[in-house]
Amino acid sequence: MKSILLPTDFSNNSINAINYAVELLKDEVCEFYVINIQKASSFVSDDLMTMTSSATIYHTLIDIAKKSIKNIIDDVKETYNNNLHQFYSIVDYDNFVDGINQACESRNIDLIIMGTKGASGAEKVLFGSNTARVMQRCNTPVLAIPDGCKFKGVDKIAFTSNYLIKYSNKDLKSLYDISSLYKSSIDIIHVTNNGDLTSSQENNRAFLDAYFSNLKHEFIDLEKADIFKAIQDYIKEKNIKILAMTSRHHSFLERLFTRHLVEAFAFNIDIPFLVMENSNQ
């Protein structure tokens, strides 16, 4: 049985990610934990006028959140009616990332699936701030679902690697499980300015070849200087359904998290993005 954490702020974006998760894992026995994390600053002054004298801000927030999560769960159950899926509600009053980490540890979460709004508005960043922080500071794999992205199967996955870091089976488990579930082909993409690998890179590449030996996979070398354009063009050309990567310290990912980075403005990813921790960093 898989344990999946579904953060929600009750926005259409987060609810879309919940629906994507339920469809993605429709044939898997799963426990879904729908979590909302409140903070004091989210309580607006208008709400104070509706409180009874004996109510507290804390209890009012928690009660409202619990009712909202129940409505989401009821809607999902009615829509999909999947006996393989069980749903649980979590409401926390905490720092967002701390609350996510605590939930992952206490519920033994295998994967976080959450929505992200993408590059829009004044900030011009690829991921929403909460999504970016979870990717950077949580050890649990994260599957970020772009706003409006609907589930359309998973026949092809692109996995980017510079072959610089040693992998473990645990690091790649989320990618392996999704690919196994859908018999997806995995294109392992290496963007380079030259064709030569060090002996260490060759060993890490060989590990990937062995680890994915039971799955359809192919190694792709893209010799382009612009890593963003190379990967984005490949995604579009090959109709990739999920982009995957290990290591929050991968240079590609670090550059995507950099605010107001000109080269990232053009990188408008409209497919789910899987980020997995690398245990050797």
Side-chain angles (χ1 to χ4, degrees), residues 133-142 245-251 253-254 257 275-278 281:
R133 287 199 298 269
V134 171
M135 285 179 171
Q136 291 173 305
R137 294 172 53 193
C138 292
N139 293 329
T140 304
V142 180
M245 179 180 300
T246 62
S247 175
R248 288 146 184 78
H249 304 294
H250 191 297
S251 60
L253 195 57
E254 285 187 325
F257 285 142
V275 178
M276 301 165 287
E277 176 69 352
N278 188 286
Q281 283 199 327

Side-chain angles (χ1 to χ4, degrees), residues 30-277:
C30 293
E31 292 181 333
F32 290 102
Y33 293 89
V34 184
I35 185 171
N36 174 255
I37 299 174
Q38 294 284 341
K39 57 183 180 179
S41 62
S42 68
F43 196 84
V44 295
S45 58
D46 288 347
D47 291 324
L48 289 169
M49 304 300 294
T50 66
M51 292 171 57
T52 65
S53 57
S54 61
T56 64
I57 291 177
Y58 173 83
H59 287 111
T60 300
L61 276 173
I62 298 301
D63 288 345
I64 292 172
K66 285 181 178 179
K67 290 176 182 177
S68 298
I69 290 180
K70 182 180 184 301
N71 290 337
I72 291 174
I73 291 175
D74 288 346
D75 287 344
V76 170
K77 284 182 175 180
E78 182 178 353
T79 300
Y80 297 100
N81 191 28
N82 191 333
N83 292 329
L84 297 177
H85 294 169
Q86 299 178 40
F87 293 87
Y88 302 93
S89 170
I90 303 174
V91 178
D92 199 1
Y93 197 78
D94 202 348
N95 169 276
F96 186 79
V97 174
D98 290 343
I100 294 293
N101 276 328
Q102 290 167 15
C104 288
E105 183 176 352
S106 63
R107 271 75 175 187
N108 196 25
I109 297 297
D110 298 300
L111 178 66
I112 302 166
I113 302 180
M114 62 189 299
T116 185
K117 291 184 178 180
S120 62
E123 290 189 345
K124 294 293 184 184
V125 292
L126 181 63
F127 300 109
S129 59
N130 279 341
T131 309
R133 287 199 298 269
V134 171
M135 285 179 171
Q136 291 173 305
R137 294 172 53 193
C138 292
N139 293 329
T140 304
V142 180
L143 182 63
I145 312 299
D147 194 16
C149 177
K150 304 301 181 184
F151 180 75
K152 298 177 182 178
V154 190
D155 57 326
K156 290 185 70 68
I157 299 173
F159 172 59
T160 67
S161 177
N162 53 21
Y163 306 141
L164 292 175
I165 300 168
K166 187 177 180 180
Y167 299 101
S168 72
N169 292 359
K170 181 182 177 181
D171 297 337
L172 303 169
K173 188 176 186 303
S174 294
L175 174 57
Y176 188 96
D177 288 348
I178 293 173
S179 182
S180 297
L181 186 61
Y182 285 92
K183 296 180 171 56
S184 315
S185 63
I186 302 175
D187 290 353
I188 303 169
I189 299 174
H190 178 229
V191 181
T192 178
N193 291 323
N194 61 72
D196 297 327
L197 298 179
T198 66
S199 59
S200 176
Q201 285 178 303
E202 290 282 6
N203 289 337
N204 293 332
R205 185 183 185 277
F207 175 87
L208 293 176
D209 197 22
Y211 183 77
F212 294 122
S213 60
N214 293 327
L215 303 173
K216 183 180 178 182
H217 66 283
E218 183 178 0
F219 291 93
I220 308 294
D221 289 326
L222 300 180
E223 295 186 2
K224 294 185 180 180
D226 188 339
I227 186 173
F228 291 98
K229 188 175 189 311
I231 292 176
Q232 183 163 277
D233 288 350
Y234 192 86
I235 288 171
K236 291 181 178 179
E237 179 186 349
K238 300 298 183 179
N239 196 22
I240 300 296
K241 298 302 195 300
I242 291 178
L243 176 63
M245 179 180 300
T246 62
S247 175
R248 288 146 184 78
H249 304 294
H250 191 297
S251 60
F252 176 83
L253 195 57
E254 285 187 325
R255 288 161 69 185
L256 286 183
F257 285 142
T258 303
R259 301 170 73 88
H260 305 294
L261 186 64
V262 174
E263 62 182 334
F265 288 171
F267 191 82
N268 295 316
I269 183 172
D270 57 1
I271 61 172
F273 188 63
L274 176 64
V275 178
M276 301 165 287
E277 176 69 352

Side-chain angles (χ1 to χ4, degrees), residues 19-34:
N19 283 303
Y20 186 100
V22 172
E23 292 188 60
L24 173 70
L25 299 167
K26 63 182 182 296
D27 296 322
E28 288 279 282
V29 179
C30 293
E31 292 181 333
F32 290 102
Y33 293 89
V34 184

